[in-house]
Amino acid sequence: MNTLGLLFLVLAAAPSREAAEVPPNVSVLIQRHCSGCHDEDNSLDLRQVPGPSDLETWRDIHKAVETGRMPLTGKDAEGLWKGPGTQPVPLGPGYRQELASAIAALLAAQEHPATPRTALQLSLDDWLLIVREVALPYMSASALEALVAPRLELEPSARHPLIAMDVCTRVIDTDLGRPVGARTLVDVGEGPLSEAAMGTLTQRVFRLVYQQEPNASDLKDGLARFRRFQRIAPATRDAAAALCTSYLAGLRVLRLELAPATTTAR
């Protein structure tokens, strides 16, 4: 089995987009430094970390942490601290900044959510039109037809992924055959990719397949997929082709941006 074939075996298990949740480091720091005082006898019980949508509570916690008012330490905490341990562990400047920044990011994600999307189920013909849009900047219509035609005789479960893998591999190889600076997808030289280069590559491949800009969640998911593919096959060419394939093969449902509703004054 070639490298792309091996990579494709893990495409179905690529991570899916998850709902917003409280970052683990926030939960740990609150449990360690806050819950010993903020228990059932306190107006703010932090034995259970608030849910991500409890914005009012998170704003209060963020303000207290950022200003240094909380968590209490030393004599201020005497008689209030009930554990873990016999006395509260001071929250150092580095951890205080980490906690404040993480809560601020959580608030920003909740207050400014990604653009909502709806879905449109695609027929095979509709999907092949998207394949055509992906392919034609990198190959002729006749070359695309010759590449796709043999796969159309296969069962649907095999047809979509194999067409996607064939097309994406050709697209990436064509792009890499251009000089650096003239490429539209993998515009990098030899050697490992930087974080910025991986982000740019993920954004470009997403845009090519979906014909729209990725939001923050899309980029996070795409980078996670790309890194996973690279752990199996470090070559940028193989990981980029696998990322494109994972998007294109899974595109049975077209995601559409929902424009904000507008009202007209009467």
Side-chain angles (χ1 to χ4, degrees), residues 24-262:
N25 61 331
V26 172
S27 298
V28 169
L29 290 172
I30 286 179
Q31 291 292 327
R32 182 179 299 165
H33 297 277
C34 306
S35 62
C37 291
H38 289 268
D39 58 7
E40 70 274 12
D41 297 324
N42 194 289
S43 59
L44 177 57
D45 188 348
L46 293 178
R47 292 173 301 165
Q48 294 293 326
V49 177
S53 61
D54 189 353
L55 299 185
E56 183 176 354
T57 298
W58 283 116
R59 289 190 191 102
D60 290 342
I61 295 173
H62 180 257
K63 184 176 180 180
V65 171
E66 189 175 45
T67 59
R69 183 166 54 86
M70 291 289 176
L72 298 175
T73 57
K75 291 184 178 181
D76 293 333
E78 287 182 5
L80 297 174
W81 185 261
K82 301 180 180 67
T86 57
Q87 59 183 355
V89 178
L91 184 66
Y95 283 125
R96 183 179 296 278
Q97 181 60 46
E98 177 187 348
L99 181 57
S101 297
I103 295 174
L106 175 64
L107 286 168
Q110 292 295 319
E111 292 169 342
H112 305 285
T115 305
R117 287 170 172 166
T118 187
L120 177 66
Q121 189 69 37
L122 296 178
S123 66
L124 174 61
D125 287 343
D126 289 333
W127 184 74
L128 288 174
L129 287 176
I130 293 177
V131 172
R132 181 182 177 86
E133 292 296 320
V134 171
L136 288 188
Y138 302 91
M139 68 186 79
S140 66
S142 59
L144 175 62
E145 183 178 357
L147 194 64
V148 169
R151 304 300 195 187
L152 294 177
E153 306 301 321
L154 301 175
E155 291 294 320
S157 60
R159 183 171 56 207
H160 282 74
L162 288 174
I163 289 174
M165 184 159 59
D166 290 345
V167 169
C168 284
T169 303
R170 182 75 63 85
V171 163
I172 296 299
D173 284 346
T174 301
D175 193 59
L176 285 171
R178 298 169 177 172
V180 174
R183 300 172 187 169
T184 56
L185 296 173
V186 193
D187 195 17
V188 294
E190 299 295 328
L193 294 183
S194 66
E195 284 293 314
M198 279 194 283
T200 299
L201 188 155
T202 299
Q203 183 179 38
R204 289 175 173 180
V205 172
F206 184 98
R207 188 190 300 132
L208 173 68
V209 175
Y210 287 102
Q211 298 294 303
Q212 62 189 35
E213 291 297 326
N215 59 37
S217 181
D218 294 323
L219 284 176
K220 181 179 178 181
D221 170 68
L223 283 168
R225 295 189 193 199
F226 186 82
R227 292 189 185 101
R228 188 167 182 232
F229 299 144
Q230 277 204 315
R231 286 197 294 270
I232 299 170
T236 299
R237 175 257 189 186
D238 293 338
L243 178 64
C244 174
T245 301
S246 72
Y247 286 150
L248 190 56
L251 194 63
R252 308 295 181 85
V253 174
L254 180 63
R255 295 178 301 162
L256 303 173
E257 297 287 1
L258 290 177
T262 58

